[in-house]
Amino acid sequence: MRQAKLWRYAVPMESGVVLRDRRLTQREGLLVQLQEGERQGWGEIAPLPGFSHETLTQAQQAGVAWLADWRAARPVAESHLPSVAFGLSCACAELRGELPEAASWQSAQLCQGDPDELLLQLAAQRPPCAKMKVGLYETARDAIQVALLLEALPTLPLRLDANRSWTLEKARRFADRLTPAQRARIAFIEEPCRTPEESLRFAAESGIAIAWDESLRQPDFQLSAQPGVVAVVIKPTLSGGIARLRHIVAGAQRLGLQVVISSALESSLGLTQLARLARWLTPHATPGLDTLSLMRQQLVRRWPGCELPLQEQGQWTRIC
C-alpha cells in the first residue's frame, strides 16, 4: 500500500541574508514523504525566491496533484516545475534505493563572517576550496578582498560568483585591480556579466576563467566548448529532477567541463541529498553546499558536524 505525506515548513534565517535585493528572514518550502511497505523516501520542494520561476503556492498545488496520482498508482510524469521535479525525484530515488548513501561532505567554503576565523577554517581543509560572492559592492572592494584572501592562502583555489551583476566595464575594472598571478589563481567566476556574450568577452580579455550557472536554465542556451569556459554550476532545485541533472552532467563532462553541484538554499535535508548526488555524479569536484550556516535550524536530517538544532515536526504544517 502506498502512502504519501506533504508538509510546509519555515526555517528562520540569520539576519542579513539578501537575495537579489530582497532580505530573506525565513526559508520556506515543502517536505514530502513517500512510503511503500517498509520502504520510505524523503524529498524537499523549495522554490528559491527571486530565482525560481514557480512560487511556493504553485509548487504546492503541483505536489498535491502528483501525490494523489502516485497514491492511486496512476501514471505520473515529471513535473515541469523544477523544484517539484527535484524534490519528488529525490523521494522516489530514496524509496527505490537508487540514491547512494555515500556523500561529498566537504564543500567549497562560503567566504563570510569573521576573516580570521575564515582563514583558520580554510587552512584546516585538505584541500582547501572557497567561494566568494562578488558584485554586491564596488569592484575595488571586491578586488581587494580577493587579493587579500589569495595572498593569505597561497594554495587556495578560489571560486567567485557574480550572479550576472556586472556590466562588462565593471568586470574589466575588477580584473584590472588584480595581478596576472592573482587572476590565474581564480578557479572561475560564475556568470560575471549580464549576458553570456559579455562574459565570454571578459574571459578572453582578462584571462580569468568563467562558469555557466543561470545560462544553463535559459531555454535557448546551448552548452558547448568555448574558450575561457571551464565549468558549469548546477542548482538542481532550479534545474529539475535527477534525470535532468544526470543529462546536464553527462553533456558537460563530454565537453571536458568541470561540473559543480550547488545549493539553492535548501534545508539540511536537501543539502544532504545534494551531497549524495555530488559524490555519485561528480566525485572529483568539490560541491558548493556551504549554506547551512545561513539558517538557524536543520530539518529531518542533520549535516555532519553541524550543531544547529533540528526543527520539531510539530512546527510543520500538514498539507496532505
Side-chain angles (χ1 to χ4, degrees), residues 61-77:
Q61 292 170 344
V64 168
W66 190 96
L67 291 175
D69 287 338
W70 184 84
R71 271 193 298 257
R74 293 190 289 265
V76 289

Side-chain angles (χ1 to χ4, degrees), residues 19-300:
L19 293 178
R20 289 191 173 166
D21 300 325
R22 71 173 74 183
R23 190 171 300 278
L24 198 65
T25 59
Q26 60 181 9
R27 185 67 168 107
E28 296 181 275
L30 302 164
L31 300 173
V32 58
Q33 181 193 54
L34 304 181
Q35 188 160 347
E36 193 166 14
E38 297 298 317
R39 296 175 298 158
Q40 191 178 97
W42 285 82
E44 178 176 354
I45 300 170
L48 185 61
F51 290 82
S52 294
H53 294 296
E54 69 272 22
T55 65
L56 184 55
T57 298
Q58 291 169 332
Q60 180 175 310
Q61 292 170 344
V64 168
W66 190 96
L67 291 175
D69 287 338
W70 184 84
R71 271 193 298 257
R74 293 190 289 265
V76 289
E78 183 168 279
S79 175
H80 69 282
L81 303 180
S83 63
V84 179
F86 176 63
L88 292 175
S89 69
C90 285
C92 289
E94 283 197 353
L95 185 72
R96 296 190 294 259
E98 295 173 354
L99 184 57
E101 291 293 334
S104 294
W105 298 121
Q106 181 174 335
S107 177
Q109 176 115 13
L110 196 59
C111 296
Q112 60 178 0
D114 180 75
D116 293 332
E117 185 177 343
L118 173 66
L119 290 176
L120 289 174
Q121 291 171 344
L122 287 171
Q125 287 185 7
R126 294 291 183 273
C129 184
K131 176 177 178 176
M132 181 183 293
K133 291 282 187 179
V134 293
L136 298 175
Y137 307 102
E138 290 301 314
T139 53
R141 175 176 171 175
D142 286 335
I144 289 171
Q145 290 183 322
V146 167
L148 288 173
L149 188 58
L150 291 174
E151 289 173 12
L153 297 168
T155 63
L156 175 72
L158 180 61
R159 302 172 183 175
L160 304 178
D161 185 3
N163 284 129
R164 291 185 165 185
S165 59
W166 285 334
T167 62
L168 180 56
E169 185 55 38
K170 280 191 173 182
R172 286 168 172 159
R173 289 203 297 267
F174 169 80
D176 287 344
R177 291 179 176 272
L178 300 176
T179 67
Q182 289 168 341
R183 296 184 195 184
R185 293 269 311 284
I186 297 172
F188 54 75
I189 303 182
E190 296 177 38
E191 304 270 357
C193 300
R194 294 175 180 175
T195 67
E197 293 75 20
E198 288 183 336
S199 291
L200 288 169
R201 188 171 174 182
F202 167 74
E205 292 177 358
S206 67
I208 299 176
I210 64 172
W212 298 132
D213 179 0
E214 289 94 339
S215 294
L216 294 174
R217 301 188 292 275
Q218 292 183 334
D220 58 345
F221 183 78
Q222 295 293 323
L223 187 61
S224 61
Q226 295 170 295
V229 181
V230 299
V232 296
V233 178
I234 308 173
K235 296 179 173 66
T237 286
L238 306 181
S239 301
I242 293 177
R244 170 68 176 159
L245 172 61
R246 297 183 71 178
H247 175 75
I248 299 174
V249 169
Q253 290 176 339
R254 281 195 298 269
L255 295 170
L257 299 175
Q258 181 184 20
V259 182
V260 175
I261 292 177
S262 184
S263 160
L265 280 183
E266 294 85 0
S267 75
S268 61
L269 170 63
L271 289 174
T272 58
Q273 292 177 325
L274 288 171
R276 292 160 67 186
L277 287 165
R279 177 66 178 272
W280 178 24
L281 302 177
T282 59
H284 304 297
T286 302
L289 307 177
D290 185 29
T291 55
L292 196 53
S293 61
L294 302 176
M295 301 182 183
R296 295 183 178 179
Q297 293 174 319
Q298 302 190 71
L299 280 181
V300 184

